[in-house]
Amino acid sequence: EVCVEPSSPQRLSQYACQRRTTTINHNKIFTDAFEVLIEHAEFNENEGRCLAFMRATSVLKSLSGAVRCLWDLEGLPCLGDQTKAVMEDILECGKSSKVQEILSDDKYQALKLFTSVFGVGRKTAEKWYRKGYRTFEEVLADSSISLNKMQKAGFLYYNDILKGLNRAEADVLSQIIEKTVHTIVPDAIVTLTGGFRRGKEYGHDVDFILTTPEQGKQEGLLGCVINKLRYQGILLYHDHQQSTFDFKKLPSWKFEAMDHYEKCFLVLKLKSDLVEVDTRRDDAAERDWRAVRVDLVAPPISHFAFALLGWTGSRQFERDLRRFARHERKMLLDNHALYDKTKKVCLSAKTEEEIFAHLGLEYIAPWERNA
Ligand code: ATP
Ligand code: MN
Ligand code: MN
C-alpha cells in the first residue's frame, strides 16, 4: 500500500513550525475542501471548528505524497474524526457532501462574494446579506449604504485586484518600489516578504518590509514613498497607518491581527509589457495597466528580524510559532519581540535564524513555511 511518509520514521509534529512545507501540495483535493469548511466556520464565528480544519489542512500540505486511503493518516497529528469523515467522503465519492452543501448555500455564496471585495469584512458582508442583497448591483443600488474609501477602491478595481499577480509581475513591482525608496533614502533596505518570499507563483498582493541601516531613520519614509508614487501617477489608493510603537508595551500579550509598525496598504497601477490586461473588459480597452495590491511595512532596524519573520507567513506557520513559543518554551512571540517569561527578559535578534535558535527550533527556510 501507499505510504505517505516512506522514509520518515520521525513522528510529524503538531506544530507547523516544526514541519517543512513547500508550495507543492500533494493533497489539494482535500485541502481545497477544507478551505471551504474553514471559511464557512469563519463566517459562522465557530473558532474551534475553524482552528481544527486549519491545522488539519496544514498537516496535509506538509505531506510528501498524496493520501490514498485512511490508513495513510495513521499516526498523523491534528486529524480528528470530523476531518477524517470528510476525507473518507472524498476518497469514496471524489467529493464531500458537506462541502457541496455549503457551496450551494445561499448565505455562504453571498458572504463569499461580498468579502472578496477589498475592504469588505465578514461583518459588512453579513449586514448586506441581512438586507437581502445577493449581488454587487443590489448593494451598489442602495443609496443608504455608504462605502468607505477602501471599499470604493475595492469595487472600482475589483476584477484587477481579484486577479492578483504572478511572480514576474511581483518582480517588476519590486523594482519600482526599490527605485522609489532609494531616491528618498539611498541605503534603505527593501525586502520582499509575504507569499512571494515563500516562493509562491501567485499572490493576492506583494508585501515589502522597508527599513534603514540607521536606527530610526525609517520614520517618515512611508509618507515620502506615497508622495513619490503619487507623483509618478501610479498611486490609486493608500491607507497610511502611523506607528503606534511603544517599547514599554512590548510584547503585546495577545494574538493581534495588526502590529504596531508604520505601514501602508496600497493599490498601484502596474504598467509593463509583462502585465496582462484583460482587454475584453470595456473599461480596460484603453489601458496599459492593471491595479495591484501592495503592502509596505516600516519597522526600525532593531526589530527587522521579528517583522520579517512575522510578515513572511504563512498565517498558519505564524500561529503555530506563537503557540509553540507559549506552550513549549514559556515564551511570547509576536511581530516585535520574543519574551522569555521564565527569565523575564526580551531576547533580541538580528536574523530569523537567531529567533529560531532562541526558540530551540530547527531553522525553517521561507520556502518551507507554506504551512
Ligand atoms: P498572498 O499571496 O495571498 O498575499 P500572503 O501569505 O502574502 O499570501 P498576506 O495577507 O499578504 O498573505 O500576509 C502576509 C503576512 O503578513 C501574513 O503572515 C500575515 O500574518 C502578515 N500580515 C498581513 N497583514 C498584516 C497586518 N495588518 N498586521 C500585521 N501582520 C500582517
Ligand atoms: Mn501577500
Ligand atoms: Mn499583504
Side-chain angles (χ1 to χ4, degrees):
E1 260 302 358
V2 180
C3 181
V4 168
E5 291 283 277
S7 59
S8 168
Q10 261 178 329
R11 209 177 167 283
L12 206 57
S13 169
Q14 63 150 314
Y15 297 105
C17 56
Q18 291 187 302
R19 303 189 294 255
R20 295 176 196 275
T21 314
T22 66
T23 53
I24 302 161
N25 177 3
H26 299 281
N27 290 284
K28 204 163 179 305
I29 50 160
F30 304 111
T31 58
D32 282 351
F34 283 135
E35 308 282 1
V36 175
L37 297 169
I38 291 166
E39 201 150 35
H40 185 248
E42 256 166 14
F43 288 156
N44 291 305
E45 285 177 281
N46 190 338
E47 252 179 80
R49 238 178 110 78
C50 191
L51 210 56
F53 286 132
M54 288 194 294
R55 286 183 188 154
T57 303
S58 179
V59 165
L60 293 176
K61 282 181 182 172
S62 76
L63 301 180
S64 55
V67 171
R68 305 277 163 81
C69 64
L70 285 186
W71 290 113
D72 287 347
L73 303 176
E74 207 63 17
L76 294 181
C78 309
L79 295 169
D81 292 341
Q82 290 208 35
T83 53
K84 281 186 178 164
V86 173
M87 292 181 74
E88 191 170 12
D89 238 14
I90 295 172
L91 284 166
E92 278 173 14
C93 329
K95 58 189 178 193
S96 147
S97 52
K98 202 174 238 152
V99 170
Q100 293 303 110
E101 202 179 297
I102 293 170
L103 285 175
S104 58
D105 178 61
D106 170 57
K107 183 173 177 183
Y108 174 82
Q109 286 177 359
L111 295 191
K112 175 98 183 141
L113 179 71
F114 295 157
T115 55
S116 73
V117 179
F118 173 55
V120 178
R122 198 186 51 76
K123 293 238 165 73
T124 305
E126 177 102 32
K127 219 167 57 195
W128 294 347
Y129 174 78
R130 288 227 200 92
K131 283 189 166 211
Y133 304 146
R134 301 293 179 268
T135 64
F136 292 156
E137 287 71 27
E138 288 168 341
V139 171
L140 296 171
D142 182 343
S143 55
S144 75
I145 289 178
S146 59
L147 300 175
N148 65 31
K149 204 180 126 204
M150 193 186 269
Q151 293 161 347
K152 277 180 192 155
F155 276 113
L156 198 53
Y157 308 114
Y158 181 76
N159 286 299
D160 280 10
I161 293 175
L162 194 68
K163 192 167 156 60
L165 309 89
N166 63 28
R167 176 154 274 283
E169 291 165 338
D171 289 341
V172 171
L173 207 78
S174 296
Q175 282 166 24
I176 294 169
I177 297 295
E178 265 172 44
K179 221 170 169 179
T180 306
V181 170
H182 287 152
T183 58
I184 304 160
V185 179
D187 64 347
I189 302 157
V190 179
T191 310
L192 180 70
T193 180
F196 285 111
R197 182 164 184 253
R198 299 198 310 272
K200 274 177 55 174
E201 279 304 319
Y202 241 88
H204 93 283
D205 69 356
V206 196
D207 309 281
F208 296 96
I209 299 187
L210 315 184
T211 191
T212 54
E214 194 182 321
Q215 177 77 13
K217 218 182 160 193
Q218 85 290 342
E219 277 170 39
L221 177 59
L222 288 188
C224 296
V225 171
I226 290 169
N227 284 336
K228 293 258 178 199
L229 293 170
R230 185 186 291 119
Y231 185 74
Q232 290 172 50
I234 61 171
L235 185 72
L236 293 169
Y237 167 86
H238 71 283
D239 170 14
H240 184 182
Q241 303 192 349
Q242 289 300 334
S243 163
T244 50
F245 200 68
D246 183 350
F247 212 97
K248 281 167 261 142
K249 280 193 194 143
L250 292 178
S252 39
W253 311 87
K254 47 182 185 231
F255 278 106
E256 280 184 317
M258 297 296 217
D259 57 44
H260 297 283
Y261 302 123
E262 184 178 354
K263 58 176 79 70
C264 58
F265 307 106
L266 308 172
V267 178
L268 299 181
K269 267 186 195 180
L270 183 58
K271 278 188 230 187
S272 161
D273 302 340
L274 267 168
V275 176
E276 242 180 77
V277 177
D278 189 350
T279 46
R280 288 166 306 178
R281 284 176 41 96
D282 299 344
D283 64 320
E286 293 304 319
R287 17 174 244 191
D288 59 346
W289 55 270
R290 204 167 87 231
V292 293
R293 278 269 302 111
V294 177
D295 289 340
L296 306 179
V297 55
I301 185 87
S302 54
H303 291 68
F304 175 76
F306 292 99
L308 182 61
L309 182 61
W311 277 76
T312 298
S314 70
R315 280 174 201 272
Q316 189 59 31
F317 192 88
E318 303 298 327
R319 228 176 259 123
D320 278 2
L321 260 180
R322 287 162 206 223
R323 189 164 61 99
F324 177 88
R326 214 176 32 211
H327 293 302
E328 306 295 330
R329 300 290 185 254
K330 291 192 167 55
M331 291 183 188
L332 297 170
L333 173 71
D334 66 12
N335 285 5
H336 316 93
L338 178 62
Y339 179 76
D340 186 325
K341 290 208 278 185
T342 315
K343 293 182 186 155
K344 295 194 168 62
V345 289
C346 271
L347 305 168
S348 67
K350 283 200 171 64
T351 62
E352 287 181 321
E353 281 88 341
E354 285 178 58
I355 302 173
F356 280 90
H358 281 318
L359 287 166
L361 281 172
E362 263 180 57
Y363 179 68
I364 307 285
W367 56 91
E368 299 168 324
R369 298 183 203 160
N370 290 284

PDB file of all heavy atoms in Angstrom, residues 94-114:
ATOM      1  N   GLY A  94     -15.135  11.105  -4.428  1.00  0.00           N
ATOM      2  CA  GLY A  94     -14.475  12.187  -5.154  1.00  0.00           C
ATOM      3  C   GLY A  94     -14.826  13.564  -4.654  1.00  0.00           C
ATOM      4  O   GLY A  94     -14.229  14.548  -5.056  1.00  0.00           O
ATOM      5  N   LYS A  95     -15.838  13.631  -3.795  1.00  0.00           N
ATOM      6  CA  LYS A  95     -16.196  14.928  -3.207  1.00  0.00           C
ATOM      7  C   LYS A  95     -16.894  14.731  -1.864  1.00  0.00           C
ATOM      8  O   LYS A  95     -17.364  13.640  -1.545  1.00  0.00           O
ATOM      9  CB  LYS A  95     -17.078  15.716  -4.157  1.00  0.00           C
ATOM     10  CG  LYS A  95     -18.359  15.010  -4.548  1.00  0.00           C
ATOM     11  CD  LYS A  95     -19.059  15.767  -5.672  1.00  0.00           C
ATOM     12  CE  LYS A  95     -20.318  15.025  -6.079  1.00  0.00           C
ATOM     13  NZ  LYS A  95     -20.894  15.498  -7.333  1.00  0.00           N
ATOM     14  N   SER A  96     -16.948  15.816  -1.090  1.00  0.00           N
ATOM     15  CA  SER A  96     -17.587  15.745   0.220  1.00  0.00           C
ATOM     16  C   SER A  96     -18.985  16.341   0.148  1.00  0.00           C
ATOM     17  O   SER A  96     -19.165  17.458  -0.351  1.00  0.00           O
ATOM     18  CB  SER A  96     -16.734  16.510   1.246  1.00  0.00           C
ATOM     19  OG  SER A  96     -17.540  17.102   2.233  1.00  0.00           O
ATOM     20  N   SER A  97     -19.967  15.595   0.632  1.00  0.00           N
ATOM     21  CA  SER A  97     -21.351  16.085   0.572  1.00  0.00           C
ATOM     22  C   SER A  97     -21.510  17.334   1.430  1.00  0.00           C
ATOM     23  O   SER A  97     -22.250  18.258   1.092  1.00  0.00           O
ATOM     24  CB  SER A  97     -22.317  14.992   1.033  1.00  0.00           C
ATOM     25  OG  SER A  97     -21.911  14.492   2.293  1.00  0.00           O
ATOM     26  N   LYS A  98     -20.767  17.392   2.543  1.00  0.00           N
ATOM     27  CA  LYS A  98     -20.836  18.552   3.439  1.00  0.00           C
ATOM     28  C   LYS A  98     -20.344  19.815   2.715  1.00  0.00           C
ATOM     29  O   LYS A  98     -20.958  20.876   2.804  1.00  0.00           O
ATOM     30  CB  LYS A  98     -19.945  18.280   4.664  1.00  0.00           C
ATOM     31  CG  LYS A  98     -20.312  19.099   5.876  1.00  0.00           C
ATOM     32  CD  LYS A  98     -19.481  18.667   7.073  1.00  0.00           C
ATOM     33  CE  LYS A  98     -20.342  18.218   8.247  1.00  0.00           C
ATOM     34  NZ  LYS A  98     -19.644  17.231   9.070  1.00  0.00           N
ATOM     35  N   VAL A  99     -19.254  19.658   1.982  1.00  0.00           N
ATOM     36  CA  VAL A  99     -18.693  20.791   1.237  1.00  0.00           C
ATOM     37  C   VAL A  99     -19.647  21.214   0.119  1.00  0.00           C
ATOM     38  O   VAL A  99     -19.894  22.403  -0.097  1.00  0.00           O
ATOM     39  CB  VAL A  99     -17.296  20.433   0.667  1.00  0.00           C
ATOM     40  CG1 VAL A  99     -16.807  21.495  -0.305  1.00  0.00           C
ATOM     41  CG2 VAL A  99     -16.294  20.246   1.796  1.00  0.00           C
ATOM     42  N   GLN A 100     -20.218  20.219  -0.581  1.00  0.00           N
ATOM     43  CA  GLN A 100     -21.180  20.512  -1.662  1.00  0.00           C
ATOM     44  C   GLN A 100     -22.357  21.316  -1.119  1.00  0.00           C
ATOM     45  O   GLN A 100     -22.818  22.266  -1.744  1.00  0.00           O
ATOM     46  CB  GLN A 100     -21.690  19.208  -2.286  1.00  0.00           C
ATOM     47  CG  GLN A 100     -20.647  18.422  -3.041  1.00  0.00           C
ATOM     48  CD  GLN A 100     -19.997  19.226  -4.160  1.00  0.00           C
ATOM     49  OE1 GLN A 100     -18.823  19.582  -4.074  1.00  0.00           O
ATOM     50  NE2 GLN A 100     -20.768  19.557  -5.193  1.00  0.00           N
ATOM     51  N   GLU A 101     -22.813  20.908   0.055  1.00  0.00           N
ATOM     52  CA  GLU A 101     -23.943  21.570   0.700  1.00  0.00           C
ATOM     53  C   GLU A 101     -23.624  23.038   0.977  1.00  0.00           C
ATOM     54  O   GLU A 101     -24.415  23.926   0.681  1.00  0.00           O
ATOM     55  CB  GLU A 101     -24.229  20.839   2.018  1.00  0.00           C
ATOM     56  CG  GLU A 101     -25.619  20.993   2.587  1.00  0.00           C
ATOM     57  CD  GLU A 101     -25.733  20.177   3.867  1.00  0.00           C
ATOM     58  OE1 GLU A 101     -25.592  18.925   3.780  1.00  0.00           O
ATOM     59  OE2 GLU A 101     -25.917  20.769   4.936  1.00  0.00           O
ATOM     60  N   ILE A 102     -22.427  23.283   1.537  1.00  0.00           N
ATOM     61  CA  ILE A 102     -22.018  24.661   1.844  1.00  0.00           C
ATOM     62  C   ILE A 102     -21.895  25.481   0.565  1.00  0.00           C
ATOM     63  O   ILE A 102     -22.368  26.615   0.493  1.00  0.00           O
ATOM     64  CB  ILE A 102     -20.668  24.674   2.607  1.00  0.00           C
ATOM     65  CG1 ILE A 102     -20.835  24.070   3.994  1.00  0.00           C
ATOM     66  CG2 ILE A 102     -20.122  26.097   2.716  1.00  0.00           C
ATOM     67  CD1 ILE A 102     -19.523  23.810   4.722  1.00  0.00           C
ATOM     68  N   LEU A 103     -21.271  24.893  -0.459  1.00  0.00           N
ATOM     69  CA  LEU A 103     -21.055  25.618  -1.716  1.00  0.00           C
ATOM     70  C   LEU A 103     -22.368  26.061  -2.362  1.00  0.00           C
ATOM     71  O   LEU A 103     -22.407  27.067  -3.061  1.00  0.00           O
ATOM     72  CB  LEU A 103     -20.252  24.754  -2.694  1.00  0.00           C
ATOM     73  CG  LEU A 103     -18.758  24.610  -2.388  1.00  0.00           C
ATOM     74  CD1 LEU A 103     -18.102  23.628  -3.359  1.00  0.00           C
ATOM     75  CD2 LEU A 103     -18.051  25.965  -2.441  1.00  0.00           C
ATOM     76  N   SER A 104     -23.423  25.314  -2.119  1.00  0.00           N
ATOM     77  CA  SER A 104     -24.698  25.692  -2.731  1.00  0.00           C
ATOM     78  C   SER A 104     -25.572  26.494  -1.765  1.00  0.00           C
ATOM     79  O   SER A 104     -26.695  26.852  -2.093  1.00  0.00           O
ATOM     80  CB  SER A 104     -25.442  24.446  -3.221  1.00  0.00           C
ATOM     81  OG  SER A 104     -25.644  23.567  -2.137  1.00  0.00           O
ATOM     82  N   ASP A 105     -25.027  26.794  -0.591  1.00  0.00           N
ATOM     83  CA  ASP A 105     -25.771  27.575   0.405  1.00  0.00           C
ATOM     84  C   ASP A 105     -25.796  29.050   0.024  1.00  0.00           C
ATOM     85  O   ASP A 105     -24.766  29.654  -0.270  1.00  0.00           O
ATOM     86  CB  ASP A 105     -25.134  27.385   1.785  1.00  0.00           C
ATOM     87  CG  ASP A 105     -25.834  28.208   2.854  1.00  0.00           C
ATOM     88  OD1 ASP A 105     -27.044  27.981   3.066  1.00  0.00           O
ATOM     89  OD2 ASP A 105     -25.181  29.088   3.457  1.00  0.00           O
ATOM     90  N   ASP A 106     -26.992  29.606   0.045  1.00  0.00           N
ATOM     91  CA  ASP A 106     -27.243  30.991  -0.354  1.00  0.00           C
ATOM     92  C   ASP A 106     -26.420  31.988   0.463  1.00  0.00           C
ATOM     93  O   ASP A 106     -25.782  32.894  -0.082  1.00  0.00           O
ATOM     94  CB  ASP A 106     -28.761  31.209  -0.174  1.00  0.00           C
ATOM     95  CG  ASP A 106     -29.155  32.649  -0.315  1.00  0.00           C
ATOM     96  OD1 ASP A 106     -28.856  33.220  -1.370  1.00  0.00           O
ATOM     97  OD2 ASP A 106     -29.764  33.197   0.622  1.00  0.00           O
ATOM     98  N   LYS A 107     -26.406  31.797   1.782  1.00  0.00           N
ATOM     99  CA  LYS A 107     -25.676  32.728   2.644  1.00  0.00           C
ATOM    100  C   LYS A 107     -24.168  32.635   2.415  1.00  0.00           C
ATOM    101  O   LYS A 107     -23.484  33.650   2.320  1.00  0.00           O
ATOM    102  CB  LYS A 107     -25.998  32.447   4.120  1.00  0.00           C
ATOM    103  CG  LYS A 107     -25.321  33.417   5.060  1.00  0.00           C
ATOM    104  CD  LYS A 107     -25.769  33.267   6.496  1.00  0.00           C
ATOM    105  CE  LYS A 107     -24.989  34.213   7.389  1.00  0.00           C
ATOM    106  NZ  LYS A 107     -25.337  34.062   8.808  1.00  0.00           N
ATOM    107  N   TYR A 108     -23.659  31.403   2.316  1.00  0.00           N
ATOM    108  CA  TYR A 108     -22.229  31.223   2.074  1.00  0.00           C
ATOM    109  C   TYR A 108     -21.817  31.911   0.775  1.00  0.00           C
ATOM    110  O   TYR A 108     -20.817  32.629   0.726  1.00  0.00           O
ATOM    111  CB  TYR A 108     -21.869  29.731   2.021  1.00  0.00           C
ATOM    112  CG  TYR A 108     -20.426  29.475   1.624  1.00  0.00           C
ATOM    113  CD1 TYR A 108     -19.402  29.555   2.557  1.00  0.00           C
ATOM    114  CD2 TYR A 108     -20.091  29.192   0.295  1.00  0.00           C
ATOM    115  CE1 TYR A 108     -18.079  29.352   2.187  1.00  0.00           C
ATOM    116  CE2 TYR A 108     -18.780  28.990  -0.080  1.00  0.00           C
ATOM    117  CZ  TYR A 108     -17.774  29.070   0.867  1.00  0.00           C
ATOM    118  OH  TYR A 108     -16.466  28.874   0.486  1.00  0.00           O
ATOM    119  N   GLN A 109     -22.607  31.702  -0.272  1.00  0.00           N
ATOM    120  CA  GLN A 109     -22.287  32.298  -1.575  1.00  0.00           C
ATOM    121  C   GLN A 109     -22.239  33.815  -1.508  1.00  0.00           C
ATOM    122  O   GLN A 109     -21.324  34.446  -2.043  1.00  0.00           O
ATOM    123  CB  GLN A 109     -23.336  31.877  -2.619  1.00  0.00           C
ATOM    124  CG  GLN A 109     -23.169  30.435  -3.064  1.00  0.00           C
ATOM    125  CD  GLN A 109     -24.250  29.994  -4.044  1.00  0.00           C
ATOM    126  OE1 GLN A 109     -25.145  30.771  -4.379  1.00  0.00           O
ATOM    127  NE2 GLN A 109     -24.166  28.762  -4.481  1.00  0.00           N
ATOM    128  N   ALA A 110     -23.223  34.414  -0.805  1.00  0.00           N
ATOM    129  CA  ALA A 110     -23.283  35.879  -0.705  1.00  0.00           C
ATOM    130  C   ALA A 110     -22.094  36.417   0.099  1.00  0.00           C
ATOM    131  O   ALA A 110     -21.432  37.369  -0.322  1.00  0.00           O
ATOM    132  CB  ALA A 110     -24.599  36.299  -0.068  1.00  0.00           C
ATOM    133  N   LEU A 111     -21.815  35.796   1.249  1.00  0.00           N
ATOM    134  CA  LEU A 111     -20.706  36.268   2.093  1.00  0.00           C
ATOM    135  C   LEU A 111     -19.367  36.098   1.381  1.00  0.00           C
ATOM    136  O   LEU A 111     -18.491  36.942   1.475  1.00  0.00           O
ATOM    137  CB  LEU A 111     -20.697  35.531   3.435  1.00  0.00           C
ATOM    138  CG  LEU A 111     -21.891  35.762   4.361  1.00  0.00           C
ATOM    139  CD1 LEU A 111     -21.621  35.187   5.740  1.00  0.00           C
ATOM    140  CD2 LEU A 111     -22.237  37.244   4.481  1.00  0.00           C
ATOM    141  N   LYS A 112     -19.236  34.991   0.672  1.00  0.00           N
ATOM    142  CA  LYS A 112     -18.007  34.723  -0.085  1.00  0.00           C
ATOM    143  C   LYS A 112     -17.813  35.810  -1.144  1.00  0.00           C
ATOM    144  O   LYS A 112     -16.710  36.343  -1.318  1.00  0.00           O
ATOM    145  CB  LYS A 112     -18.121  33.334  -0.727  1.00  0.00           C
ATOM    146  CG  LYS A 112     -16.993  32.967  -1.620  1.00  0.00           C
ATOM    147  CD  LYS A 112     -15.980  32.094  -0.920  1.00  0.00           C
ATOM    148  CE  LYS A 112     -14.807  31.811  -1.841  1.00  0.00           C
ATOM    149  NZ  LYS A 112     -13.530  31.829  -1.150  1.00  0.00           N
ATOM    150  N   LEU A 113     -18.894  36.145  -1.842  1.00  0.00           N
ATOM    151  CA  LEU A 113     -18.825  37.171  -2.890  1.00  0.00           C
ATOM    152  C   LEU A 113     -18.485  38.540  -2.291  1.00  0.00           C
ATOM    153  O   LEU A 113     -17.557  39.219  -2.743  1.00  0.00           O
ATOM    154  CB  LEU A 113     -20.170  37.245  -3.629  1.00  0.00           C
ATOM    155  CG  LEU A 113     -20.261  38.294  -4.742  1.00  0.00           C
ATOM    156  CD1 LEU A 113     -19.408  37.898  -5.948  1.00  0.00           C
ATOM    157  CD2 LEU A 113     -21.709  38.521  -5.172  1.00  0.00           C
ATOM    158  N   PHE A 114     -19.213  38.926  -1.250  1.00  0.00           N
ATOM    159  CA  PHE A 114     -19.019  40.261  -0.669  1.00  0.00           C
ATOM    160  C   PHE A 114     -17.626  40.425  -0.042  1.00  0.00           C
ATOM    161  O   PHE A 114     -16.994  41.469  -0.178  1.00  0.00           O
ATOM    162  CB  PHE A 114     -20.115  40.572   0.360  1.00  0.00           C
ATOM    163  CG  PHE A 114     -21.496  40.671  -0.238  1.00  0.00           C
ATOM    164  CD1 PHE A 114     -22.637  40.478   0.544  1.00  0.00           C
ATOM    165  CD2 PHE A 114     -21.671  40.969  -1.584  1.00  0.00           C
ATOM    166  CE1 PHE A 114     -23.912  40.570  -0.009  1.00  0.00           C
ATOM    167  CE2 PHE A 114     -22.941  41.059  -2.153  1.00  0.00           C
ATOM    168  CZ  PHE A 114     -24.061  40.853  -1.363  1.00  0.00           C
TER     169      PHE A 114
END
